[in-house]
Amino acid sequence: MTDTSEPSYIDYEAFLSPSFSAPSFANSLVLATNDPSDAPLDLSTPLSRVLFDVQEIDTHIDTLTTRSALPLLQYTKDHVEASKHVLQEVESRVASLTDGYKRLEKDVIERYEAAEQVRLAAERLCQTVKIGRSVARCLLLGRQLEAQMSELTGSLPAGGKREDYRAMVRSANTLLSLRQLFAANRPGEEGHGLDRINVIITLRSGLIEPMERTLLTRAQQIIREFSTSSLLASNVSQLSTYAQTEDTKSRATSALTTLYLLSPTKTNTTANFEPILLVSALQNYLQTALTSSLAALTRALATLPTLDRTLLEISARCQNIVALEALLESIKPPPHPLLTDTVVDVPTEPLRNFLQPLLTALDTSSLPSYFWRSLASALSSRVQDIMNRGGVSARTLRSNRDRVRDAVRECVNRGSHLPTGSQGAGKDDVRVVGNWEREAAVMVGSIVGVLGR
C-alpha cells in the first residue's frame, strides 16, 4: 500500500483554525453564489456545495481509516491494556484505602464515639454532684438557721437555754449565706440550677422566707420596745440596774446589726450601701415617740393637772432617744458577706457607725434636737386650737403660763441627759450633756408664744 496523499480542494486549515466561524463561512458561500441585489436568494447552490464538501470529507475519512485500520486497532488495543493495568492499580489502592478506613473506623471513630458517651456521662455526673453539693449545703444552712431561730425564740427541747439574742446576728449571717448561694445562679456557679430543685423550692417557701420574716419582725419589735430610762419608776425596786440596761443595749445591738445585715443590697460596695431596714425601723421609733408625745402633751395642756406626769413621760422618751443615739454611735458596721470594702473614686465615705445613715436620712445633727424641734413645730397648731376653743382649758393654760414655761424647760433639760443606768459603764458610755437652751427655747416658744397672742 502506497502512502501517497491525494490532493483535495477542501481548505482543511480554514476549518481547523481556532477563529473559524460557521455563520461567517455560510455567509461567504451565499455571497459567492448570489448577487447582493438579487431579491430572491438562491440557497440551493451553497447548500449543494456544503453537502458536497461533507461527502468529500466523509469519503476522505473512510479512505484514511481503511488504509490505517491495523495501526488504529493496535493503538486501541494498547490503550485498552494500559487502561486495564491502571484500573488494576487503582482498584488495589482503593482496596488498601478501604481497609485503612475500616481499621481507622474501628480503632478511632468507634472508640471516639464510646469516649464521647463516657465524657457526656461524666460531665452530667459532675453537674449532678455539684447540684447535690449545693443542695446539701442549702439543707445544712436551713437546718442551721432552724437551730439558731430556736435559740432565739427559746423553743429548744428540754434542757435548752433561754432566749439568746445574739442568735439573731448568727441567723442573719446564715440568711446572707443562703442569699449568696441563691444569687450565684449563672452557668458554672455554685447555685446554678437550684431554682429547679423541688426540695430547694420547698425549703425557701416553707422555712427560709418565713424565718426571715420572723427574724425581721423580732428585730423591729426590739427596736420599738427600746427603753432604758427610769424616770417613770414608782419606787426604787423598779429602777433599771446597770445589768438590765446592758442587757437592753445588747438586745438592741443584736437587733440593729440584724437589720443592717438583712437590708437589701443594691450595690457591691460598703461605701454606697444604704441599710434601708435599719433606717426605717429607727425612723418608725422616732415617729412613734413624736406622735405619742404630741398627743399626750396636747391632752395635758388641756387638763393641766396631768402636765407634770406627761412631761415626765416625754422626758423619759427623749432619754431613750439620747441612749439610742449613744448606742448607735458606738456600733460600727460589721463585715457584710455580700459587700466588698474595695472602693475606687467613690464620692461617699464608708459608714463609720449606725448613727450616720439615720442622721443623713433625717437631715439633722442630733436625734434629741430633731425630737424637740419636730415636737415643737407640730405643737404650736395644737396649742392654737386649744386657745381658739376657749373655755376653762384656755383660761387655765393662759393663767399658768409661767408654770408651763418652767415645766417645759425642765422637761427638755431632764430629757436631754442619758438615763441613770447608762452612765455606770465607764468612760465610753458617759455622755457630756451639751447646751439644750435653744431646744428649750423652741419648745417654750411653741406654747407660751401662742399664749401671748
Side-chain angles (χ1 to χ4, degrees):
M1 181 181 295
T2 59
D3 195 13
T4 58
S5 300
E6 296 180 358
S8 177
Y9 68 90
I10 298 177
D11 188 4
Y12 288 103
E13 294 183 358
F15 288 111
L16 296 177
S17 175
S19 60
F20 174 76
S21 174
S24 300
F25 180 72
N27 187 40
S28 63
L29 287 178
V30 172
L31 293 177
T33 57
N34 290 275
D35 191 276
S37 61
D38 293 341
L41 293 176
D42 181 16
L43 298 180
S44 59
T45 302
L47 181 60
S48 300
R49 171 71 183 274
V50 171
L51 292 175
F52 183 79
D53 290 345
V54 170
Q55 185 177 4
E56 179 66 19
I57 293 173
D58 183 64
T59 302
H60 188 61
I61 291 174
D62 289 341
T63 302
L64 290 176
T65 53
T66 301
R67 292 179 180 178
S68 306
L70 291 178
L72 289 174
L73 292 175
Q74 185 64 35
Y75 179 80
T76 305
K77 179 181 177 181
D78 294 341
H79 275 72
V80 169
E81 292 179 353
S83 299
K84 290 181 179 181
H85 179 70
V86 171
L87 180 61
Q88 291 177 355
E89 292 294 328
V90 171
E91 287 179 347
S92 64
R93 298 294 181 183
V94 170
S96 177
L97 289 174
T98 303
D99 294 338
Y101 177 78
K102 290 181 179 180
R103 289 195 303 271
L104 180 66
E105 183 180 17
K106 180 179 179 181
D107 296 340
V108 178
I109 298 178
E110 293 180 358
R111 293 183 180 181
Y112 170 77
E113 292 176 352
E116 181 65 18
Q117 294 178 357
V118 173
R119 185 197 65 80
L120 183 60
E123 182 179 354
R124 292 178 177 177
L125 285 174
C126 183
Q127 293 176 354
T128 304
V129 169
K130 287 182 178 180
I131 294 178
R133 288 178 179 175
S134 300
V135 171
R137 186 176 175 218
C138 285
L139 295 177
L140 179 62
L141 290 173
R143 182 176 299 177
Q144 178 178 324
L145 177 62
E146 188 176 17
Q148 291 167 346
M149 291 297 292
S150 299
E151 295 176 6
L152 173 62
T153 57
S155 59
L156 289 173
K161 299 180 181 179
R162 62 182 181 86
E163 294 181 67
D164 184 7
Y165 291 98
R166 290 174 296 181
M168 298 179 66
V169 180
R170 296 195 294 269
S171 300
N173 283 314
T174 302
L175 285 171
L176 289 181
S177 298
L178 287 167
R179 282 187 188 178
Q180 189 174 18
L181 182 59
F182 292 141
N185 55 5
R186 289 181 294 183
E189 295 182 338
E190 186 178 7
H192 179 63
L194 286 179
D195 54 346
R196 300 193 300 269
I197 307 299
N198 291 334
V199 67
I200 299 300
I201 297 175
T202 305
L203 179 69
R204 295 186 68 172
S205 60
L207 179 70
I208 297 175
E209 294 176 358
M211 286 193 171
E212 182 176 357
R213 290 194 294 268
T214 301
L215 184 61
L216 289 175
T217 302
R218 184 59 177 147
Q220 292 166 352
Q221 179 185 358
I222 292 176
I223 299 302
R224 287 196 304 268
E225 297 174 353
F226 178 79
S227 176
T228 59
S229 177
S230 302
L231 292 179
L232 300 179
S234 59
N235 50 57
V236 178
S237 61
Q238 294 181 352
L239 292 175
S240 298
T241 63
Y242 173 72
Q244 292 173 338
T245 302
E246 287 300 309
D247 182 65
T248 301
K249 291 168 62 177
S250 177
R251 283 185 297 174
T253 300
S254 298
L256 292 169
T257 305
T258 299
L259 293 175
Y260 171 82
L261 291 174
L262 294 182
S263 295
T265 53
K266 299 180 181 179
T267 180
N268 294 327
T269 59
T270 55
N272 295 328
F273 176 58
E274 297 180 1
I276 299 176
L277 295 179
L278 173 64
V279 174
S280 177
L282 294 172
Q283 285 180 328
N284 290 337
Y285 178 82
L286 293 174
Q287 189 61 40
T288 301
L290 281 170
T291 304
S292 302
S293 299
L294 179 61
L297 187 55
T298 302
R299 290 193 301 268
L301 291 175
T303 55
L304 283 183
T306 62
L307 181 62
D308 293 337
R309 178 66 181 180
T310 301
L311 292 177
L312 192 64
E313 293 176 356
I314 295 175
S315 296
R317 292 192 185 98
C318 189
Q319 279 193 357
N320 291 331
I321 293 176
V322 174
L324 180 61
E325 182 181 44
L327 180 62
L328 291 174
E329 191 174 9
S330 65
I331 302 175
K332 294 182 179 180
H336 201 296
L338 304 182
L339 302 178
T340 58
D341 294 330
T342 304
V343 182
V344 180
D345 296 335
V346 176
T348 58
E349 297 181 358
L351 297 180
R352 298 186 300 272
N353 50 54
F354 281 176
L355 180 61
Q356 180 182 348
L358 179 60
L359 295 180
T360 303
L362 297 176
D363 193 18
T364 185
S365 60
S366 172
L367 296 185
S369 176
Y370 172 81
F371 174 78
W372 293 122
R373 292 179 181 272
S374 299
L375 182 60
S377 63
L379 188 60
S380 298
S381 60
R382 302 296 182 91
V383 176
Q384 187 66 51
D385 291 340
I386 295 175
M387 301 306 297
N388 291 337
R389 287 197 300 267
V392 178
S393 299
R395 291 194 300 271
T396 304
L397 183 58
R398 191 184 300 273
S399 61
N400 290 274
R401 178 190 310 174
D402 295 337
R403 175 187 165 220
V404 171
R405 178 176 58 248
D406 295 339
V408 170
R409 186 179 299 276
E410 176 62 24
C411 173
V412 174
N413 291 331
R414 182 173 57 238
S416 301
H417 291 72
L418 276 172
T420 305
S422 301
Q423 298 181 0
K427 295 181 180 180
D428 292 339
D429 284 339
V430 176
R431 190 179 189 83
V432 178
V433 179
N435 187 2
W436 299 99
E437 289 299 326
R438 291 185 178 179
E439 282 69 20
V442 171
M443 280 294 297
V444 170
S446 65
I447 301 175
V448 179
V450 177
L451 298 179
R453 296 174 186 172

